[in-house]
C-alpha cells in the first residue's frame, strides 16, 4: 500500500495523509521500500519527486495485486444489502445522476439503507481512476469506456430538440433549415465534446452555437425566453422540460442512439456487492422508459 500511494502522490506528505499516518512513518516506509527493492523508488528533482524506471515498471503490477486482494477480501465477506455500510464510488455525469441515480436512491432506501454513494463527474483522469481501482463504476456512453475492462449496457437513449414554448419554430414540425438557422446551446464537459457533439460533427451543416454550457443540467435553463434550441437526452428532457417552460421536437436530422454503459475493473467481476449494485442499476435503467 505504501508503494502504491507513494507512486500515485509522488509526495511523502500527501501519501501520509492518504494512508492516515504521520509524515515520519511514511518516510520510514519509503526507506524500507528502498532497502527491499535496492532502488530509490522516488528521486528528488528540485521540488518534485520522480519515480525511477523500476518503480514505473512495478507500479501497475502492484496496483493490480492490491485490487485482486481487495476483491478477494470482499468476496469472502459475502454481501447483505440490508446491513452493509459499503460506500460505492461512481463516476457519472449530471445527466445520468438525474435520470438513473436519483431513482436508484428509492431502491437503496428500501433495500440497503446504510449503503452510501460517492459520485464524481467524469474528467480526463477517469480512465486512470478506473484502472487504478479508485472507482467502483464508470457510467458513460459506450464511446468513452475503457477498452480493457468489462462493461454492461444500462439502457439506450434517444436525443430530442428542446426549445422555449414561446419559440415560433417549436410550434410546427421542425425543419432542417430552422434547426440550423437557430442559435444553439451546446454542452462540453471538462472542455471535451459529449456524445451528441461527436455525432453532429458528421453533418456538413454546422449549428450556430451561442452558448456552451459545462453540464447537461445547466443547458435547459439557458433556453427559456429565447429562440435558442438544444439537443437533449429524451429522459432528461422529460424531467426538466415542464419546469423550464420547454417543449420538445423530433430532430430534423438523423442522430445515432446512445448506448449508456456501466463499466467496472476486471478484478471486481466477482465482487458480490458490486454485482448487486449493477443489477439494481440495470433494473432502474429498464424502468425509466421514455414517454
Amino acid at each position: 500500500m505504501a508503494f502504491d500511494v507513494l507512486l500515485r502522490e509522488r509526495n511523502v506528505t500527501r501519501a501520509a495523509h492518504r494512508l492516515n499516518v504521520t509524515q515520519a512513518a511514511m518516510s520510514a516506509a519509503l526507506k524500507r521500500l528502498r532497502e527491499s527493492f535496492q532502488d530509490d523508488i522516488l528521486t528528488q528533482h528540485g521540488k518534485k519527486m520522480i519515480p525511477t524506471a523500476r518503480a514505473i515498471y512495478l507500479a501497475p503490477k502492484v496496483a493490480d495485486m492490491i485490487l485482486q486482494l481487495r476483491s478477494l477480501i470482499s468476496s469472502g465477506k459475502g454481501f447483505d444489502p440490508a446491513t452493509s455500510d459499503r460506500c460505492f464510488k461512481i463516476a457519472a455525469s449530471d445527466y445520468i445522476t438525474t435520470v438513473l441515480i436519483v431513482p436508484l436512491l428509492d431502491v437503496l432506501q428500501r433495500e440497503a439503507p446504510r449503503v452510501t454513494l460517492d459520485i464524481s463527474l467524469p474528467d480526463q483522469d477517469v480512465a486512470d481512476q478506473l484502472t487504478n481501482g479508485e472507482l467502483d463504476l464508470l457510467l458513460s456512453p459506450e464511446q468513452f469506456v475503457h477498452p480493457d475492462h468489462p462493461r454492461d449496457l444500462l439502457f439506450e437513449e434517444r436525443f430530442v430538440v428542446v426549445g422555449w414554448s414561446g419559440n415560433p419554430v417549436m410550434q410546427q414540425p421542425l425543419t432542417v433549415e430552422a434547426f440550423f438557422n437557430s442559435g444553439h446551446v451546446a454542452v462540453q464537459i471538462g472542455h471535451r465534446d459529449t456524445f451528441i457533439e461527436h455525432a453532429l460533427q458528421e453533418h456538413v451543416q454546422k449549428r450556430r452555437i451561442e452558448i456552451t454550457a459545462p453540464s447537461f443540467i445547466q443547458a435547459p435553463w439557458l433556453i427559456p425566453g429565447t429562440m435558442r434550441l438544444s439537443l437533449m437526452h429524451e429522459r432528461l428532457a422529460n424531467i426538466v422540460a415542464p419546469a423550464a417552460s420547454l417543449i420538445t421536437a423530433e430532430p430534423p436530422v438523423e442522430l445515432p442512439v446512445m448506448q449508456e454503459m456501466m463499466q467496472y475493473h476486471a478484478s471486481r467481476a466477482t465482487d458480490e456487492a458490486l454485482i448487486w449494485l449493477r443489477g439494481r442499476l440495470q433494473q432502474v435503467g429498464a424502468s425509466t422508459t421514455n414517454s
Side-chain angles (χ1 to χ4, degrees):
M1 289 297 298
F3 179 94
D4 183 64
V5 173
L6 280 164
L7 264 290
R8 292 183 195 280
E9 296 295 340
R10 303 184 184 187
N11 181 283
V12 172
T13 302
R14 291 199 301 269
H17 180 73
R18 281 277 297 271
L19 289 181
N20 197 29
V21 299
T22 65
Q23 184 172 346
M26 200 72 248
S27 295
L30 178 57
K31 181 181 179 181
R32 290 194 298 273
L33 285 167
R34 285 169 168 165
E35 292 171 352
S36 297
F37 287 105
Q38 293 295 295
D39 185 86
D40 285 339
I41 306 299
L42 292 169
T43 58
Q44 195 77 38
H45 285 266
K47 295 183 179 180
K48 295 182 179 181
M49 297 192 80
I50 307 299
T52 64
R54 191 172 184 207
I56 292 172
Y57 170 76
L58 290 170
K61 301 179 184 299
V62 172
D64 188 59
M65 291 173 65
I66 290 172
L67 281 171
Q68 291 182 43
L69 284 170
R70 285 175 173 162
S71 179
L72 180 64
I73 292 168
S74 296
S75 63
K77 287 181 178 179
F79 176 70
D80 179 5
T83 60
S84 175
D85 59 359
R86 174 83 172 259
C87 177
F88 293 100
K89 295 185 177 182
I90 302 172
S93 69
D94 52 355
Y95 145 70
I96 202 68
T97 297
T98 301
V99 304
L100 187 70
I101 301 297
V102 170
L104 174 71
L105 298 181
D106 288 336
V107 177
L108 295 183
Q109 183 62 38
R110 293 194 309 270
E111 299 183 17
R114 296 173 59 190
V115 163
T116 56
L117 305 179
D118 182 353
I119 303 170
S120 60
L121 289 170
D123 58 23
Q124 65 271 19
D125 298 323
V126 72
D128 290 338
Q129 292 168 4
L130 181 70
T131 298
N132 294 336
E134 297 173 32
L135 291 174
D136 291 300
L137 287 175
L138 167 62
L139 308 182
S140 167
E142 185 176 27
Q143 72 184 94
F144 300 123
V145 298
H146 195 288
D148 298 333
H149 297 292
R151 78 288 304 272
D152 300 322
L153 177 66
L154 277 170
F155 55 75
E156 294 186 333
E157 180 72 282
R158 296 175 64 248
F159 283 82
V160 295
V161 179
V162 295
W164 176 45
S165 58
N167 185 342
V169 305
M170 297 296 290
Q171 308 303 320
Q172 51 195 332
L174 188 61
T175 65
V176 172
E177 183 180 14
F179 177 77
F180 284 105
N181 285 343
S182 296
H184 285 253
V185 176
V187 175
Q188 284 189 331
I189 298 179
H191 302 292
R192 296 185 304 163
D193 282 340
T194 60
F195 172 88
I196 195 62
E197 294 302 316
H198 274 286
L200 284 165
Q201 290 175 7
E202 301 297 320
H203 287 274
V204 175
Q205 289 179 273
K206 303 300 179 184
R207 293 168 300 155
R208 180 162 51 85
I209 297 175
E210 294 183 348
I211 300 177
T212 300
S215 77
F216 295 112
I217 293 298
Q218 290 187 17
W221 304 103
L222 301 170
I223 298 173
T226 76
M227 301 298 111
R228 299 186 193 105
L229 305 177
S230 185
L231 281 160
M232 188 176 297
H233 313 82
E234 189 173 20
R235 283 174 174 80
L236 184 60
N238 289 339
I239 294 171
V240 302
S245 299
L246 304 177
I247 55 178
T248 64
E250 287 295 314
V253 294
E254 185 175 350
L255 298 173
V257 173
M258 183 180 75
Q259 291 191 314
E260 189 70 28
M261 309 300 289
M262 167 174 58
Q263 188 166 43
Y264 48 94
H265 195 283
S267 68
R268 296 186 181 172
T270 59
D271 182 334
E272 292 183 22
L274 199 55
I275 291 171
W276 176 85
L277 180 64
R278 285 159 43 204
R280 292 299 180 269
L281 281 166
Q282 286 181 315
Q283 289 176 4
V284 172
S287 67
T288 57
T289 54
N290 297 323
S291 62

